[in-house]
Amino acid sequence: MKLKTTLAAAALISLVSTGAMAAGDKAKGQALYTTCAACHGQNGEGQEALNAPKLAGQEEWYVVRQLQNFKTGVRGASPQDVFGMQMAPMSQLLTDDQAMEDVAAYVKSLAK
Ligand code: HEC
């Protein structure tokens, strides 16, 4: 019984950590990134004047996690989080986790 629970938990963790979805599609991600470029730069280089950080070369798992954090209000929900609040509505443009994976695959591919 205990082993079963442990196995179920392990399976769940691996589902969460792999995202249990298809790998990101760079081409689709590139199309999605058009909106993002206004703040994060054409090549994902970031723009300090807008407080938009560099995304180029960033790990996909990290980008997806942050996009989920913005979308679910873990980041960018407090009025004190001025810059986070600018990013939060942008995350809503990514309609599902697959779209996040796609855009993450694209920014990862940009030269650091
Ligand atoms: C209106 C400007 C703006 C647009 C458009 C925008 N962002 Fe952002 N983004 C920001 C700002 C500002 C931050 C920094 C938030 C903070 O300080 O917490 C940010 C942060 C992020 C982060 C977190 C980076 C990290 O290292 O934690 C990711 C990932 C991100 N943006 C991805 C995107 C994607 C993908 C898009 C397009 C769907 C996008 N952004 C569109 C302004 C923007």
Side-chain angles (χ1 to χ4, degrees):
M1 200 58 186
K2 192 151 189 262
L3 178 66
K4 246 186 181 171
T5 314
T6 312
L7 286 176
L12 191 65
I13 288 164
S14 71
L15 275 179
V16 170
S17 62
T18 58
M21 64 192 70
D25 179 328
K26 254 195 297 184
K28 286 186 186 153
Q30 183 170 16
L32 291 168
Y33 186 75
T34 322
T35 331
C36 323
C39 293
H40 291 280
Q42 278 307 321
N43 301 305
E45 68 275 24
Q47 218 176 144
E48 192 174 354
L50 298 176
N51 293 286
K54 172 162 116 178
L55 299 175
Q58 184 56 276
E59 300 300 338
E60 294 175 53
W61 54 266
Y62 179 78
V63 170
V64 170
R65 216 171 88 76
Q66 299 317 310
L67 291 171
Q68 286 167 343
N69 284 345
F70 281 115
K71 200 167 178 183
T72 56
V74 173
R75 284 183 75 172
S78 161
Q80 288 170 298
D81 186 6
V82 175
F83 304 123
M85 282 190 85
Q86 291 168 17
M87 177 54 210
M90 300 306 147
S91 65
Q92 304 297 337
L93 300 173
L94 303 168
T95 47
D96 54 19
D97 284 354
Q98 188 60 54
M100 293 181 188
E101 295 279 348
D102 293 346
V103 84
Y106 178 66
V107 298
K108 166 78 179 165
S109 75
L110 297 170
K112 282 191 197 178

